[in-house]
């Protein structure tokens, strides 16, 4: 039964604190909440537009602030530690000389400010890095070498051999869900064990094909190395040898080159044999089991060398090694369809050599002095878009340089 009208009004007054005056107070409270909400939204907009690590600032200012050298003392670095360094597992290198003690953290703090890096941004940082004296850091080298050995083990798995690939087993491809049976004929093509006699080598040179090598006068220095890695059958004779050297112990071969230049060796093999004669007794290493289309042409290279008693020998990358290596670099942000040949052999060199120096690694269209250069020292053919992550790879290599794990040659070498 409903209460009488007077009692109902009294009940509502007790419930809501009064009649008309209570309704007014409710409206005032609602208005106050609306004002507060507007104020909070305005403050949020201000916070979003405030300058911070991800805001659009001038790249030169960022790079100079990140690696700021004093003209009188070019070796001293100033930086603010990045909160991301700990999360990335990066630690300060130990026992670095005073002028380089903060180089690693400086590079990370600057690179982590952007998700994309312009060419000029890189070049500004590299300009300053060159002013810092490089020194090998044995402990950092051992630490990184150990990580590579744990994941990939180039010492035992870089090349397919009879030791790591039993007769009758199935070879699984690196990038495809397919396998290849290792029958007697294939098994006989494989070396008994890893063929790099003399490892670990003392001084190794990894020679990239960057246009920065032209007029570098690095040839004599490269040829003094105990072991020289090269990539994708580059020219090394004539006047260019003054810049790139002649010595070659291992050179990678992209099967696409065999198809494009030599018709997959189906007809005339002499042009191929004449071209590779410049590499002396070098190993030619091919990714025969990365893609199924690579297998036949890689085997054809092997049989051509053997049939014509060439000085060179064909080896095959182990797909397990390449797959593990790609995963290793992926954890460091190198996300690409394929690692470059340069990063593959650099990784192997760190495991196989005591000292590693890189020449011709330069994925930029100009020098630090704004002088235009070609992509390769012998042509200007660019890689397929999205196929490699060259600038990101270079960022990682630059970090290894800063940690004293390997040394990058940025400019001309001293003439012999």
């Amino acid at each position: 039964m409903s209460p009488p009208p007077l009692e109902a009004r009294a009940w509502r007054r007790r419930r809501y604190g009064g009649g008309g005056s209570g309704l007014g107070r409710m409206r005032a409270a609602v208005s106050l909440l609306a004002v507060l909400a507007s104020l909070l939204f305005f403050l949020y907009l201000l916070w979003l537009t405030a300058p911070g690590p991800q805001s659009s600032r001038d790249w030169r200012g960022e790079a100079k602030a990140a690696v700021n050298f004093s003209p009188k003392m070019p070796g001293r670095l100033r930086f603010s530690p990045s909160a991301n360094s700990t999360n990335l597992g990066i630690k300060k290198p130990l026992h670095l000389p005073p002028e380089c003690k903060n180089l690693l953290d400086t590079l990370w703090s600057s690179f982590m400010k952007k998700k994309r890096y312009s060419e000029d941004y890189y070049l500004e940082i590299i300009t300053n890095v060159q002013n810092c004296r490089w020194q090998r850091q044995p402990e950092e080298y051992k630490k990184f070498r150990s990580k590579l050995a744990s994941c990939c083990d180039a010492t035992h798995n870089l090349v397919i051999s009879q030791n790591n690939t039993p007769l009758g087993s199935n070879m699984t491809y690196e990038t495809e869900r397919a396998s290849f049976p290792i029958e007697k004929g294939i098994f006989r093509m494989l070396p008994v064990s890893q063929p790099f006699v003399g490892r670990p080598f003392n001084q190794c040179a990894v020679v990239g094909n960057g246009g920065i090598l032209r007029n570098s006068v690095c040839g004599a220095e490269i040829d003094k190395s105990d072991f020289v890695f090269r990539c994708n059958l580059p020219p090394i004779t004539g006047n260019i040898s003054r810049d790139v050297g002649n010595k070659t112990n291992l050179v990678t071969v992209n099967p696409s080159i065999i198809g494009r230049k030599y018709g997959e060796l189906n007809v005339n093999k002499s042009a191929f044999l004449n071209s590779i004669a410049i590499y002396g007794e070098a190993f030619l290493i091919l990714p025969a089991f990365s893609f199924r289309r690579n297998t036949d042409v890689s085997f054809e290279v092997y049989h051509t060398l053997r049939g014509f008693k060439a000085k060179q020998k064909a080896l095959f990358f182990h797909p397990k090694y390449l797959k593990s290596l790609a995963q290793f670099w992926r954890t460091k942000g190198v996300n690409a369809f394929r690692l470059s040949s340069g990063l593959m052999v650099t990784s192997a060199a760190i495991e196989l050599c005591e000292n590693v120096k890189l020449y011709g690694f330069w994925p930029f269209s100009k020098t630090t002095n704004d002088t235009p250069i070609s992509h390769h020292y012998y042509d200007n053919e660019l890689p397929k878009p999205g196929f490699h992550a060259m600038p990101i790879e270079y960022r990682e290599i630059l970090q290894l340089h800063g940690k004293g794990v390997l040394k990058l040659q940025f400019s001309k070498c001293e003439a012999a």
Side-chain angles (χ1 to χ4, degrees), residues 104 107-108 134-135 137 140 144 148 328-329 332 343 346-347 350 358 393-408:
L104 176 63
L107 289 173
W108 267 114
W134 183 87
Q135 182 172 319
Q137 300 298 315
E140 291 295 329
F144 192 78
L148 277 174
F328 173 83
W329 286 110
K332 298 183 178 299
L343 188 58
T346 295
S347 303
I350 293 172
L358 273 54
E393 288 188 4
Y394 195 81
R395 179 194 70 186
E396 295 303 313
I397 290 172
L398 195 59
Q399 291 298 316
L400 295 178
H401 173 93
K403 295 173 71 173
V405 174
L406 53 74
K407 186 176 182 181
L408 269 166

Side-chain angles (χ1 to χ4, degrees), residues 153-208:
D153 194 8
T155 303
H156 299 100
N157 292 327
L158 175 64
V159 168
I160 301 174
S161 68
Q162 294 180 5
N163 281 354
N164 61 30
T165 307
L167 176 64
S169 62
N170 286 319
M171 179 62 65
T172 303
Y173 281 83
E174 176 197 350
T175 60
E176 300 179 25
R177 292 184 177 179
S179 60
F180 192 96
I182 304 300
E183 300 174 348
K184 287 184 179 179
I186 306 301
F187 190 73
R188 285 195 292 265
M189 293 167 60
L190 309 178
V192 174
S193 59
Q194 300 298 295
F196 308 114
V197 179
R199 59 173 172 78
F201 304 101
N202 180 29
Q203 183 67 47
C204 291
V206 181
V207 186

Side-chain angles (χ1 to χ4, degrees), residues 33 38 65 71 75 104 118 127 133 147 155 165 170 267 272 348 352 363:
L33 287 174
S38 300
L104 176 63
S118 69
T127 298
R133 180 171 61 88
K147 290 179 180 178
T155 303
T165 307
N170 286 319
V267 182
F272 170 71
L352 299 176

Side-chain angles (χ1 to χ4, degrees), residues 170-404:
N170 286 319
M171 179 62 65
T172 303
Y173 281 83
E174 176 197 350
T175 60
E176 300 179 25
R177 292 184 177 179
S179 60
F180 192 96
I182 304 300
E183 300 174 348
K184 287 184 179 179
I186 306 301
F187 190 73
R188 285 195 292 265
M189 293 167 60
L190 309 178
V192 174
S193 59
Q194 300 298 295
F196 308 114
V197 179
R199 59 173 172 78
F201 304 101
N202 180 29
Q203 183 67 47
C204 291
V206 181
V207 186
N209 298 330
I212 197 74
L213 267 176
R214 185 169 287 279
N215 300 319
S216 66
V217 201
C218 288
E221 184 176 304
I222 291 170
D223 287 345
K224 288 180 182 178
S225 304
D226 299 310
F227 199 94
V228 179
F229 299 81
R230 297 185 189 272
C231 301
N232 294 329
L233 304 178
I236 57 172
T237 56
N239 293 334
I240 199 64
S241 65
R242 179 172 175 264
D243 299 323
V244 304
N246 294 118
K247 185 174 182 177
T248 306
N249 298 98
L250 182 145
V251 57
T252 65
V253 182
N254 190 325
S256 65
I257 295 175
I258 305 301
R260 187 171 65 253
K261 289 187 176 182
Y262 308 108
E264 296 187 352
L265 303 178
N266 290 327
V267 182
N268 187 359
K269 297 175 172 41
S270 59
F272 170 71
L273 292 167
N274 290 335
S275 295
I276 64 169
I278 61 176
Y279 302 117
E281 297 181 357
F283 293 106
L284 274 58
I285 186 167
L286 304 99
F289 295 98
S290 289
F291 303 93
R292 280 178 287 184
R293 65 175 180 269
N294 289 352
T295 306
D296 287 345
V297 68
S298 297
F299 286 179
E300 191 63 42
V301 170
Y302 172 89
H303 290 299
T304 298
L305 296 178
R306 186 174 177 84
F308 286 85
K309 298 181 179 180
K311 293 181 179 180
Q312 304 77 30
K313 294 180 180 179
L315 302 172
F316 306 130
F317 275 115
H318 201 303
K320 179 181 176 182
Y321 173 81
L322 294 181
K323 191 171 184 176
S324 299
L325 190 67
Q327 179 59 34
F328 173 83
W329 286 110
R330 196 173 294 119
T331 63
K332 298 183 178 299
V334 182
N335 295 307
F337 183 69
R338 293 285 289 163
L339 296 178
S340 69
S341 299
L343 188 58
M344 290 177 185
V345 293
T346 295
S347 303
I350 293 172
E351 285 198 65
L352 299 176
C353 310
E354 296 295 337
N355 299 277
V356 179
K357 188 168 182 180
L358 273 54
Y359 304 82
F361 278 66
W362 195 260
F364 310 117
S365 64
K366 58 185 177 181
T367 67
T368 54
N369 296 323
D370 287 336
T371 302
I373 56 173
S374 59
H375 185 66
H376 298 134
Y377 66 81
Y378 48 86
D379 67 30
N380 197 35
E381 183 178 341
L382 300 177
K384 295 179 182 178
F387 200 73
H388 299 309
M390 293 295 195
I392 304 300
E393 288 188 4
Y394 195 81
R395 179 194 70 186
E396 295 303 313
I397 290 172
L398 195 59
Q399 291 298 316
L400 295 178
H401 173 93
K403 295 173 71 173

